[in-house]
Amino acid sequence: MARTIQGRGRTALNEDRFAVDLNPEQLRAVLHGEGPLLVLAGAGSGKTRVITYRIARLVDQLGVDPWHILAVTFTNKAAGEMAERVERLCGRGDVWISTFHSLGARLLRRHAELVGRTPDFVIYDDNDSRRLAESVCASIKVEPDRQRVARLLRKLESCKHRLLDPASDGRLDRVERAFCIEYQRRLERANAFDFADLISQLHRLWRENPDVLDYYRKRFQWVLVDEFQDTDRAQYQLLRLLCPPGANICVVGDDDQAIYNWRDAEVAHILGFERDYPGTVVIRLERNYRSGPHILEAANRVIAENTKRHPKRLICQCPAGEPLDIRTFHDEKEEAGFVALEALRWVEQGGEPEQFAVLYRINALSRTLEEALRLYGVPYRIVGGTRFFDRREVRDLLAYLRLVANPDSDVDFMRVVNIPPRGIGQATVAAIGEVAQDLGCSLLRACSSRELGERLGGKRLAAVREFSASIERFRKELENRSVADLIEFVIAQTGYDSYIEKEDPEGSRIANLYELAKSAEEFAAMTGDGTLGGFLEHVALVTSEDLSAGNGVQLMTLHAAKGLEFDRVYMIGMEEGILPLVRRGGAEFDDGEDKTDIEEERRLCYVGMTRARKKLALSACQYRTLYGSTRMQRPSRFLEAAAAAAVPEGGWDRRPGWLRPESPPSRKKTYRRDEGLFSEDEPDIDLCGDDGWEIDYGDEYSQCASERPDGSAWLGRTVEHSRFGVGKVVGVRPSSQGLKLDIMFEDAGKRVVLDRFVRPC
């Protein structure tokens, strides 16, 4: 007969309580007895409840000593919440609930001497590891620049995650192998472990010491694992050592939410669990308590196209929410304007800003969105990331620009003098500093001095002189180039894009470089100020604003959104090449290629969609500027699948958002009478002052299709404008004043002009 333990301030646990608190599938998982159990927990299905109630039942009803229970998860927050729930349920706070890494640290300290350490070993954080890596690089005669250091650390970390010996790993080159071996030697000499060691060294401890392993097998007779789909090889092999076939291991996860392959997680573990543990009982949790039916129908359709998965389908348990909102826009500025306006309305109507989230595949997509939110005065917060102008590669380029504008800026000099690496080390910089102090001048001016030539010689002096000459060359180029052109020139001349390319397989950071150039171009078009000083002042003012601090609309990548949920979710940039992402230099996915990457991209899309509780909006653009060029885009295959759920009978409306009857109402655009010139589509801002007049385009969104002028005859034509000269029409838009033409002028760049103010050549 099951016994019940009454704890303070809690209700007794029994079958009646379980039947009230749990749905039938959850109840089956909680009541499962001995042997391996795989719980496939769909998004929003209450997986944490299953784990905590199962632990409570083991202690409360089956009389299992908490000493024999181990529960592991991936974050301290999740472990803390799980422990609190268990204590509330059964009144016991002595169940071992921790992260994998906390488990490793605790057990390694007990048996430190068996892995070459003493019990007072230290654990190196990321900064400690980086400093050690820099020292190792110097000792093996490798330039310790931050990109190379990060790349070498990542290689070593991957070896540890995969339980590979760097000395025999054929994927490593000579330098990488020498680095890994020396790094580990110094860790041991320092009586230290880094973060990845906490798992790989615990695996080594158990593998090499059967008596120690046997002790922990007898101790941890019931093992529960949360977020099992995120395990890497070292973590899974650790579990397999602790829990042989037939053991009481319960793993809870969702293969449809396995999105960390880039961090060495392997979805194969959850897909092959039944093979590794014969006799596994599999229970599917498919009842979703988070999202409305329209959201789940779309998400189910998207993920169903994956072939490497456990079949499951989310079933809505919530009241009907808002219909799925799918839109296409002309370009990213219009997309950002729409989202910013939606956010403003949400906040003005009393919605909590923190419940409005914008998700994107790569960080480069946030820049236009951030500017639109600032224009509308909507507070925002970058979650799990960095604001655009604070990103490292952007700050590096801005340092170059500030040095061009002000050669006496020593702070900017110090940031970029050896970025990318050009052989100017600390000793050389120290010599430059001494000369500058003696002469009473800036560091850059000291670089071209005769006195420095007397202190340095050979390659070191040549590298310094070349850097100084490059800054002067950039200053001269600015006389004939726009700021945007100068940025691209600096990127090309310094080789900065090649410098970060190896650490940027997705191309997101390289895209940020060209987003900065685009930002300069848009600033000049909006304000009429094309000077470098004006742009740098604009950036300084933007980065000093507090709109991105504290609470606000949540902006984040799809990866950062994992585990979160919001009332309103807007997923932008749903275009082929972005979601799914085609990595820089890679090929498009097709039926003849390996499906691993495209299936992970589909899972990532599914994770984003299932973050939404009440409203989900998906959008794509016809044109998008990335990596310094504007391209015509195709809607994502995932968007097509979601649209089939939203509009199953007749397809979906692919017209740009500005042609949609349901698009945002009246946005003010500035128009000059004499030239037919429009501003760059920025909402609610007069860019022309007293020289122009504002026109309300409310009727633009209410026109019937039959009333719109036919603009197809203009596309691709060469035209002439009285002020901007000759250009080519690359886009056409209807408006209440006539056709608006997107024209790429040979000398003036891209402009938006009414058709009656140009003539065909």
Side-chain angles (χ1 to χ4, degrees):
M1 180 176 180
R3 65 190 182 91
T4 300
I5 302 174
Q6 181 73 47
R8 288 183 301 173
R10 66 184 184 88
T11 305
L13 284 178
N14 51 43
E15 278 75 5
D16 291 339
R17 167 84 182 273
F18 287 149
V20 171
D21 292 352
L22 305 170
N23 67 37
E25 294 77 27
Q26 291 172 333
L27 184 60
R28 278 187 60 211
V30 168
L31 297 181
H32 172 76
E34 296 182 340
L37 172 65
L38 170 60
V39 179
L40 297 171
S45 63
K47 65 179 178 62
T48 305
R49 172 167 293 211
V50 167
I51 295 174
T52 54
Y53 271 71
R54 181 166 172 77
I55 293 172
R57 178 176 181 268
L58 289 174
V59 174
D60 234 20
Q61 293 193 313
L62 301 185
V64 174
D65 192 322
W67 173 264
H68 291 307
I69 300 173
L70 171 67
V72 288
T73 185
F74 280 85
T75 68
N76 288 317
K77 179 182 177 183
E81 291 175 351
M82 194 179 297
E84 288 177 6
R85 290 197 195 186
V86 169
E87 188 168 8
R88 284 200 303 268
L89 284 171
C90 64
R92 299 293 295 267
D94 49 354
V95 177
W96 191 327
I97 301 175
S98 75
T99 66
F100 275 100
H101 292 91
S102 295
L103 173 70
R106 193 165 166 183
L107 298 189
L108 285 172
R109 211 168 286 283
R110 291 182 180 178
H111 307 279
E113 69 283 351
L114 296 178
V115 287
R117 305 294 194 275
T118 64
D120 59 347
F121 66 77
V122 296
I123 300 172
Y124 279 7
D125 62 17
D126 290 343
N127 288 328
D128 298 326
S129 295
R130 177 179 52 79
R131 284 192 291 269
L132 175 60
E134 290 170 349
S135 176
V136 170
C137 284
S139 72
I140 62 175
K141 310 302 181 187
V142 172
E143 183 70 27
D145 69 272
R146 63 190 181 201
Q147 293 293 333
R148 182 177 285 114
V149 166
R151 184 168 66 251
L152 290 170
L153 281 173
R154 181 67 187 96
K155 289 277 188 179
L156 177 56
E157 180 185 51
S158 184
C159 285
K160 294 177 180 181
H161 289 166
R162 291 180 164 89
L163 297 177
L164 299 174
D165 180 5
S168 57
D169 186 357
R171 301 177 308 157
L172 302 181
D173 61 29
R174 181 184 57 81
V175 172
E176 292 166 345
R177 189 173 297 110
F179 169 85
C180 293
I181 293 172
E182 178 63 15
Y183 178 94
Q184 285 302 115
R185 189 186 70 80
R186 293 198 185 192
L187 269 182
E188 185 168 356
R189 189 176 67 189
N191 193 34
F193 289 121
D194 67 13
F195 208 55
D197 279 329
L198 299 178
I199 307 301
S200 61
Q201 291 294 325
L202 179 58
H203 180 272
R204 172 193 165 194
L205 169 69
W206 284 353
R207 189 187 71 245
E208 295 179 355
N209 300 275
D211 55 330
V212 176
L213 174 60
D214 186 60
Y215 169 81
Y216 286 108
R217 282 182 173 176
K218 290 177 179 177
R219 172 170 179 179
F220 297 128
Q221 297 176 15
W222 299 84
V223 176
L224 302 95
V225 185
D226 190 19
E227 301 286 4
F228 180 63
Q229 77 280 349
D230 293 335
T231 53
D232 59 37
R233 188 178 305 169
Q235 291 162 337
Y236 186 42
Q237 292 304 320
L238 193 71
L239 291 171
R240 293 192 68 185
L241 282 176
L242 182 62
C243 304
N248 300 321
I249 180 172
C250 167
V251 297
V252 181
D254 182 7
D255 49 298
D256 290 337
Q257 297 186 72
I259 60 173
Y260 294 121
N261 176 261
W262 57 278
R263 278 195 332 210
D264 303 318
E266 298 182 25
V267 68
H269 298 156
I270 193 169
L271 295 178
F273 187 80
E274 295 168 82
R275 178 198 63 233
D276 296 334
Y277 287 89
T280 294
V281 173
V282 180
I283 297 175
R284 289 171 170 79
L285 305 184
E286 298 175 299
R287 303 186 193 217
N288 177 281
Y289 297 92
R290 176 188 300 158
S291 306
H294 303 292
I295 296 169
L296 294 186
E297 177 62 24
N300 282 329
R301 291 214 182 204
V302 169
I303 200 62
E305 296 184 5
N306 269 7
T307 57
K308 299 174 183 176
R309 64 185 293 260
H310 289 288
K312 68 186 82 69
R313 182 178 180 81
L314 296 180
I315 303 168
C316 182
Q317 303 295 303
C318 300
E322 298 182 41
L324 196 66
D325 188 356
I326 299 182
R327 295 173 184 263
T328 56
F329 297 95
H330 177 77
D331 58 22
E332 67 272 17
K333 292 184 67 177
E334 187 164 46
E335 180 183 56
F338 166 74
V339 174
L341 183 58
E342 289 279 284
L344 179 63
R345 287 171 171 166
W346 169 253
V347 173
E348 287 181 341
Q349 292 169 3
E352 297 180 10
E354 299 79 13
Q355 290 301 322
F356 190 108
V358 188
L359 312 183
Y360 36 80
R361 178 62 180 88
I362 56 176
N363 277 309
L365 299 190
S366 78
R367 201 272 308 171
T368 307
L369 188 61
E370 289 183 64
E371 293 197 354
L373 290 168
R374 282 194 294 269
L375 280 172
Y376 278 114
V378 178
Y380 69 91
R381 174 172 174 255
I382 302 287
V383 177
T386 308
R387 292 186 305 168
F388 177 78
F389 288 115
D390 288 335
R391 291 170 191 163
R392 190 173 70 193
E393 58 276 10
V394 174
R395 292 184 68 84
D396 284 346
L397 272 184
L398 287 172
Y400 270 107
L401 296 181
R402 284 192 292 266
L403 200 55
V404 169
N406 176 19
D408 294 327
S409 176
D410 286 348
V411 170
D412 293 308
F413 175 93
M414 291 296 294
R415 184 177 184 97
V416 298
V417 65
N418 201 38
I419 299 294
R422 49 178 62 90
I424 303 177
Q426 294 180 357
T428 303
V429 173
I432 297 171
E434 291 171 2
V435 170
Q437 186 171 7
D438 292 343
L439 298 178
C441 66
S442 69
L443 295 173
L444 182 61
R445 297 187 192 280
C447 289
S448 56
S449 69
R450 175 179 54 81
E451 288 80 0
L452 186 65
E454 295 172 355
R455 294 199 184 201
L456 300 178
K459 293 181 179 179
R460 291 201 298 167
L461 181 61
V464 170
R465 298 286 204 227
E466 172 55 30
F467 174 72
S468 175
S470 69
I471 300 300
E472 183 58 32
R473 187 162 58 250
F474 298 155
R475 287 174 60 83
K476 291 181 179 178
E477 287 291 332
L478 186 58
E479 297 173 4
N480 302 309
R481 292 177 181 268
S482 67
V483 176
D485 286 343
L486 177 66
I487 292 172
E488 295 189 4
F489 184 74
V490 171
I491 294 170
Q493 291 294 303
T494 61
Y496 193 94
D497 51 350
S498 300
Y499 165 60
I500 65 174
E501 190 168 21
K502 289 185 179 179
E503 284 301 307
D504 187 31
E506 296 181 350
S508 177
R509 295 181 61 202
I510 291 175
N512 286 336
L513 303 179
Y514 293 99
E515 276 296 305
L516 182 64
K518 186 181 174 190
S519 176
E521 181 180 26
E522 292 176 356
F523 171 76
M526 288 172 58
T527 65
D529 183 354
T531 66
L532 177 57
F535 176 64
L536 291 175
E537 180 178 313
H538 161 70
V539 171
L541 293 174
V542 164
T543 54
S544 68
E545 291 176 358
D546 61 357
L547 284 177
S548 64
N551 298 327
V553 169
Q554 309 290 289
L555 276 56
M556 69 195 79
T557 64
L558 290 163
H559 281 104
K562 178 77 177 347
L564 304 177
E565 56 186 74
F566 309 92
D567 284 345
R568 307 180 85 75
V569 170
Y570 289 71
M571 289 175 57
I572 65 172
M574 294 196 65
E575 300 137 30
E576 290 293 305
I578 297 179
L579 185 63
L581 183 69
V582 174
R583 283 158 179 79
R584 191 168 170 82
E588 291 280 357
F589 297 107
D590 60 42
D591 291 339
E593 291 182 315
D594 177 53
K595 293 289 201 306
T596 302
D597 285 339
I598 190 63
E599 294 217 346
E600 176 132 343
E601 291 291 307
R602 188 174 283 112
R603 292 194 291 268
L604 190 56
C605 179
Y606 172 83
V607 165
M609 296 173 74
T610 54
R611 300 310 94 195
R613 284 194 285 254
K614 300 175 182 177
K615 160 92 175 190
L616 174 63
L618 312 174
S619 65
C621 294
Q622 290 183 315
Y623 297 91
R624 188 176 296 276
T625 302
L626 271 179
Y627 310 112
S629 62
T630 301
R631 296 185 179 92
M632 180 177 287
Q633 300 289 93
R634 287 189 293 125
S636 167
R637 67 195 75 183
F638 308 151
L639 191 62
E640 297 275 359
V647 197
E649 62 282 341
W652 56 287
D653 188 353
R654 292 171 176 78
R655 288 175 298 164
W658 46 267
L659 288 178
R660 296 279 193 83
E662 70 272 24
S663 291
S666 83
R667 295 188 294 170
K668 295 177 180 178
K669 314 260 182 142
T670 305
Y671 167 71
R672 290 189 178 177
R673 288 183 295 264
D674 56 339
E675 297 168 348
L677 175 65
F678 284 84
S679 71
E680 284 287 330
D681 284 348
E682 292 293 350
D684 298 326
I685 185 169
D686 185 353
L687 304 178
C688 296
D690 296 333
D691 294 333
W693 46 290
E694 294 181 342
I695 301 174
D696 190 334
Y697 280 94
D699 60 339
E700 176 181 341
Y701 301 95
S702 60
Q703 294 173 8
C704 298
S706 60
E707 297 173 350
R708 297 191 190 99
D710 181 10
S712 60
W714 284 102
L715 281 174
R717 281 200 176 191
T718 300
V719 297
E720 184 178 11
H721 185 274
S722 60
R723 176 182 174 191
F724 299 114
V726 176
K728 186 176 182 179
V729 178
V730 296
V732 182
R733 321 184 196 185
S735 77
S736 60
Q737 292 294 311
L739 283 180
K740 294 189 323 188
L741 307 181
D742 293 314
I743 304 174
M744 186 63 71
F745 288 100
E746 294 175 359
D747 297 322
K750 188 176 178 181
R751 304 282 176 168
V752 184
V753 181
L754 283 176
D755 63 337
R756 63 177 178 271
F757 286 88
V758 298
R759 65 180 182 83
C761 292

